[in-house]
Amino acid sequence: MATRIYAVTGAASGIGAATADQLAASGAKVIRCDVRDADVLADLTTPEGRDDLVSGVAAASGGRIDGVVAVAGLALPSDLTVRLNFFGTIATLEGLRPLLAAAEQPRAVAVSSLSAIVAADEGLAQACLTMDEDAAATAARALVEAGHGRAVYPSSKLALNRWLRRAALSWAESGIPLNAVAPGVVDTLTARTAFLDDPRTRALVAAAMPQPLAFPGPVDAVASLLAWTVSAANSFMTGQILYADGGAEATLRT
């Protein structure tokens, strides 16, 4: 059997790095993509960077990849978060789709977030789904200016969930399972810097997103689920948002 080839964005740190490591440990070839410390350097907030990603992965893979793991994301109160989390993720998936089509058992997965069901702004999510990037960026900036910048990240993930649910049908017709994994709060450097290291903020987040199994959760558990969704073993699941959140989604939506 031919060695499986995967492209992983956001592979320089956190969940992306852990997923890339697990895939490599399984014997796969992994093309690590990020803005730094990667095989393919690409800034997915820009059209030029998205083109760099596609051309770089095409060159590194020889024209065929078996899986895409779209992890790259931002959680800033900024329009860049929308440009990366929604438009950059879609550009990654759609741009690499022809390389997936050359594989016998292609798979794709994106990273969403539990926060999409907790704190999203419906107006920004709908602005994203018009597929007008500049208009969505303007809507994100308006939220920030109104003092609601924390809603930008979950809104970008809610929009991604809705896009994926629709897109997965056409991808399935091409024989490509397309899914998302929605982590809860996991123990990454970014999470520690943003709120875990501050006792008050940590308590607020834990109350908003209760995780009975563990708070924060282990990075490797999320990486393992991402790795499985793009494995050949996942032959019959598509269009799903899989909550790897220690029980938070079940707690919030009983």
Side-chain angles (χ1 to χ4, degrees), residues 83-145:
R83 292 188 185 278
L84 177 54
N85 295 4
F86 184 74
F87 293 97
T89 298
I90 292 173
T92 295
L93 294 168
E94 294 287 9
L96 298 179
R97 186 172 174 177
L99 301 181
L100 288 169
E104 291 185 5
Q105 296 174 306
R107 312 281 187 262
V109 66
V111 169
S112 181
S113 171
L114 170 71
S115 66
I117 71 168
V118 177
D121 179 82
E122 185 67 29
L124 178 52
Q126 290 299 327
C128 290
L129 289 166
T130 67
M131 306 310 294
D132 183 332
E133 184 168 353
D134 289 336
T138 298
R141 289 194 295 271
L143 268 183
V144 175
E145 291 166 4

Side-chain angles (χ1 to χ4, degrees), residues 49-107:
R50 296 162 194 170
D51 289 342
D52 291 341
L53 173 78
V54 174
S55 61
V57 172
S61 66
R64 184 264 298 177
I65 57 176
D66 299 278
V68 174
V69 186
V71 183
L74 287 171
L76 300 173
S78 164
D79 63 296
L80 290 177
T81 295
V82 165
R83 292 188 185 278
L84 177 54
N85 295 4
F86 184 74
F87 293 97
T89 298
I90 292 173
T92 295
L93 294 168
E94 294 287 9
L96 298 179
R97 186 172 174 177
L99 301 181
L100 288 169
E104 291 185 5
Q105 296 174 306
R107 312 281 187 262

